[in-house]
Amino acid sequence: MATTDDGTRTTFLGEVKSAVTPHASLLVLGVLGLMIAFITSYTGAFHHPAPADVPLGVVAPPQVRGQLVGKLDRLPGSPWTRARCPPNGPPGSSSRTGRSTAH
């Protein structure tokens, strides 16, 4: 324990009060709050990690395209809304460049 100039002893709480400013304590509390918020949001993102309503574009030869889309749509527990075939032309080029599976 430390002593003051007049010879009296200070308590631990008294030493902390004299060493830590309100500005520093608010800064530390703010950083701790930000850390807790980040950890909470990060773990919340992994609460239900299964994908849902994912659009699926199927690029296949015309002979098997319909059959493949039908099989994909009938899969149990599939995460996509509905399998779709891109319009005719180079296989999937318009869907790939536009990043869309909608017709």
Side-chain angles (χ1 to χ4, degrees):
M1 284 221 168
T3 58
T4 59
D5 290 337
D6 61 0
T8 59
R9 297 184 135 216
T10 59
T11 62
F12 177 74
L13 186 59
E15 288 182 32
V16 170
K17 283 183 181 179
S18 67
V20 179
T21 64
H23 183 266
S25 60
L26 285 176
L27 183 65
V28 168
L29 289 176
V31 169
L32 287 175
L34 188 63
M35 285 174 34
I36 289 172
F38 176 76
I39 291 168
T40 303
S41 70
Y42 190 77
T43 55
F46 292 112
H47 185 64
H48 292 291
D53 299 333
V54 177
L56 178 68
V58 177
V59 178
Q63 300 86 350
V64 295
R65 186 179 299 166
Q67 181 183 8
L68 181 61
V69 168
K71 284 183 179 180
L72 288 171
D73 282 339
R74 287 189 304 270
L75 283 176
S78 60
W80 45 83
T81 54
R82 189 173 74 85
R84 297 181 177 102
C85 292
N88 292 338
S93 63
S94 64
S95 297
R96 234 184 8 245
T97 57
R99 294 188 179 252
S100 170
T101 59
H103 295 351

